[in-house]
Amino acid sequence: MDVPLRPRLSHQAKQTNKNGSLTTMTSLILPTDITTAMLSDKKTKNSIVYTSGGDSFFGIFPHVSNTFPSGQICLKLGFAGFGPLKSGAFGLRHIWEKHSTEINATNALDIVLFLEKVISAGSVVIIDNNKDPDKPLILESKTGMAVVGLNNGTYYITSAYCRSSHKGTVVGNL
């Protein structure tokens, strides 16, 4: 049986727009191709980071309600944020900047491996209505948690922590 090879370099993915035309989507990047310099940069923030196994998504978010339909869970290269409060931060760059020490990450691959442990079969999905009812938290009690937000049918990882418990309402499991 032939196993398809994963690309070793970043590339542009293609998607079809509503007119049926092919358009270029965001870049896809392997975590081993991400350098410390890229983590410090502000370019290509919407590039999708592959899992360690070469997949473009970390799992499938279950259908919870009309507000939270089923969808792929992806990680963008992201943005570390601006200003003293790091406003607007999300994705791999945010996790690297704010939580790499907490999760013992020395490179982008370490963050990806941490997220793969958090976003795994059986992980509990909770919503903390006191924080942001539009951002469910995926909680995996042995490893930590990831915060995801829904955008155009895809859940994007905005942050991740080592904390293994969080108040909120359990709404499902991965």
Side-chain angles (χ1 to χ4, degrees):
M1 178 169 95
D2 290 329
V3 177
L5 296 175
R6 300 288 184 197
R8 286 297 314 148
L9 298 174
S10 305
H11 69 278
Q12 296 289 312
K14 301 287 183 183
Q15 72 177 7
T16 305
N17 65 18
K18 53 184 159 183
N19 298 330
S21 304
L22 278 178
T23 60
T24 301
M25 203 171 81
T26 56
S27 295
L28 302 170
I29 304 172
L30 289 169
T32 52
D33 292 339
I34 299 172
T35 64
T36 305
M38 281 179 77
L39 290 171
S40 300
D41 200 358
K42 294 181 181 172
K43 297 176 183 172
T44 62
K45 66 182 180 182
N46 288 319
S47 295
I48 301 295
V49 178
Y50 278 123
T51 66
S52 65
D55 294 314
S56 61
F57 61 95
F58 285 73
I60 302 293
F61 193 90
H63 177 84
V64 174
S65 67
N66 288 339
T67 305
F68 298 115
S70 180
Q72 293 180 345
I73 303 169
C74 298
L75 175 64
K76 288 185 177 184
L77 190 53
F79 179 57
F82 62 91
L85 297 177
K86 298 294 183 189
S87 298
F90 69 95
L92 182 69
R93 285 185 175 130
H94 164 70
I95 297 166
W96 174 256
E97 172 104 3
K98 297 290 281 184
H99 308 290
S100 61
T101 303
E102 172 188 346
I103 63 176
N104 296 317
T106 59
N107 54 44
L109 179 59
D110 289 343
I111 293 170
V112 167
L113 292 171
F114 174 81
L115 289 168
E116 288 173 358
K117 289 178 186 174
V118 171
I119 302 168
S120 59
S123 293
V124 178
V125 178
I126 65 169
I127 297 175
D128 180 355
N129 290 313
N130 293 326
K131 285 201 166 217
D132 189 342
D134 293 330
K135 286 189 181 173
L137 300 166
I138 297 171
L139 175 67
E140 201 283 322
S141 62
K142 295 177 187 160
T143 304
M145 73 172 73
V147 180
V148 298
L150 180 62
N151 187 355
N152 293 325
T154 301
Y155 291 88
Y156 293 102
I157 301 164
T158 58
S159 193
Y161 313 90
C162 275
R163 186 173 41 178
S164 60
S165 64
H166 191 83
K167 64 181 178 178
T169 305
V170 174
V171 293
N173 293 81
L174 296 185

